Amino acid sequence: MTQSTKTQDLNKEVAKIIAELRPFVQGDGGDIELVGVNDDGVVSVRLHGACVGCPSSGMTLKMGVEQTLKDRLPEVKEVICV
């Protein structure tokens, strides 16, 4: 099954924003990888490095990454870590 053009476009926009946020995450010894965006607007990411097991990673994910994406892309409904 292929992604819709709308989802592909959203994926590209999300990737740009993740690239902008990445240096902040890397500054704390971690990293964030975009896994994909589904047709329901759910963004899947994978955390690496110091983010794995960090008690603050959930806050970073929801209050940082998710909020930034939702503010800039209303189509984004949620960010989950896979």
Side-chain angles (χ1 to χ4, degrees):
M1 183 175 287
T2 61
Q3 285 185 319
S4 69
T5 302
K6 182 178 176 184
T7 302
Q8 288 174 354
D9 291 344
L10 181 59
N11 196 76
K12 288 178 187 175
E13 293 303 312
V14 168
K16 288 179 191 175
I17 295 169
I18 295 283
E20 292 172 17
L21 297 174
R22 180 171 282 122
F24 298 104
V25 177
Q26 289 173 333
D28 288 328
D31 204 354
I32 185 168
E33 169 192 0
L34 175 62
V35 176
V37 181
N38 72 18
D39 290 336
D40 296 323
V42 177
V43 176
S44 298
V45 299
R46 188 171 293 122
L47 298 176
H48 299 280
C51 292
V52 177
C54 174
S56 298
S57 64
M59 182 71 74
T60 298
L61 193 65
K62 292 295 179 182
M63 299 306 292
V65 177
E66 182 176 274
Q67 195 58 52
T68 299
L69 288 170
K70 285 180 167 182
D71 288 348
R72 293 175 58 184
L73 300 168
E75 306 90 342
V76 171
K77 304 300 178 211
E78 183 180 16
V79 176
I80 59 170
C81 186
V82 295

